[in-house]
Amino acid sequence: MSDADRMRISRVPGKPVRRDRDGGLVVDLWLTRAGAFATDLPLRLTPAEAEVLHAQLCFALDDVPLPGAGQRVPDCRGPARAPTLRWP
């Protein structure tokens, strides 16, 4: 593949993931070709697809430190804890 044919997809900086009118989730993406902007692309996920992606990302990032000091670790990346049992 030549450099002129290389494509890259990345998230649009500063745009959060959002819900659409149908309850799905939308991730705004940029497509670049040969280093030049080509178009915007919305990645649309059902809630089930987003949940699977979330879980897969948490597992993939399990041993990767957060980039900035003092950032809160998302619950899915916290240490595994045994559930606390409470008896009535």
Side-chain angles (χ1 to χ4, degrees), residues 6 15 33 42-43 56 59-60 66-67 71 73 78 88:
R6 292 191 192 273
K15 280 203 163 183
R33 178 178 231 148
L43 171 61
Q56 290 173 344
F59 280 112
L66 291 173
Q71 289 186 347
V73 177

Side-chain angles (χ1 to χ4, degrees), residues 43-82:
L43 171 61
R44 298 182 186 282
L45 300 166
T46 66
E49 292 168 329
E51 188 61 42
V52 169
L53 178 59
H54 173 257
Q56 290 173 344
L57 288 169
C58 284
F59 280 112
L61 291 168
D62 185 40
D63 61 350
V64 177
L66 291 173
Q71 289 186 347
R72 184 173 107 40
V73 177
D75 292 340
C76 68
R77 294 197 49 205
R81 296 182 291 266

Side-chain angles (χ1 to χ4, degrees), residues 10-18 26-30:
S10 57
R11 286 196 55 195
V12 177
K15 280 203 163 183
V17 175
R18 65 184 190 286
V26 180
V27 181
D28 292 301
L29 303 172
W30 278 341

